[in-house]
Amino acid sequence: MRIDIITLFPELLKSPFKASIIKRALQSGKVSVYFHNPRDYSQHKNKQVDDYPLGGGAGMVMMIEPIDFCIKALKEKYQYDAIVYLTPDGESLNQNTANHFSTFGNIIILCGHYKGVD
């Protein structure tokens, strides 16, 4: 299984993969995990990935363009069974969902940040 994680904080998320069951899965070669920072795909000179929401409102949102460029680049190289967007507004992760994802070959996980994506 290949897992590509798109996150603004790749260094922060790497540490859980260095211990316990996940570490053993990586060492066995059954799972591979790769981190991608959407800032690397930003076309703004300051690598900006956040903006005010369209139509106004409080808070900031992630810009869709860097995320889209990242996903397109990954899809040019690999086929994915799912793209999962992690957000506090989504369904809770439970054992049934985890079992379902374990049947996939390749997945992209988009880690939400700010108020959402616009």
Side-chain angles (χ1 to χ4, degrees):
M1 171 183 258
R2 178 187 173 96
I3 302 172
D4 287 281
I5 300 175
I6 302 172
T7 176
L8 292 174
F9 306 104
E11 294 305 317
L12 181 69
L13 292 183
K14 287 181 181 180
S15 64
F17 294 90
K18 296 178 181 178
S20 192
I21 296 169
I22 298 173
K23 178 182 177 181
R24 290 194 304 270
L26 290 168
Q27 289 175 334
S28 74
K30 293 179 182 178
V31 177
S32 56
V33 178
Y34 301 91
F35 294 89
H36 309 276
N37 191 332
R39 290 185 195 283
D40 298 337
Y41 297 88
S42 176
Q43 296 191 339
H44 293 267
K45 68 178 182 177
N46 296 327
K47 300 297 182 187
Q48 178 183 351
V49 294
D50 61 341
D51 202 354
Y52 295 101
L54 273 165
M60 299 293 280
V61 294
M62 290 178 67
M63 297 166 61
I64 191 63
E65 289 84 5
I67 295 168
D68 182 52
F69 293 144
C70 181
I71 291 173
K72 283 181 179 174
L74 291 170
K75 283 182 148 185
E76 285 179 6
K77 298 177 185 174
Y78 308 99
Q79 291 187 350
Y80 292 92
D81 298 309
I83 299 174
V84 180
Y85 174 45
L86 302 179
T87 173
D89 297 332
E91 295 178 27
S92 295
L93 180 64
N94 58 38
Q95 191 62 49
N96 286 338
T97 305
N99 290 344
H100 178 67
F101 287 148
S102 73
T103 65
F104 293 160
N106 300 327
I107 62 173
I108 294 174
I109 298 175
L110 172 60
C111 297
H113 191 64
Y114 303 111
K115 193 172 174 81
V117 176
D118 201 3

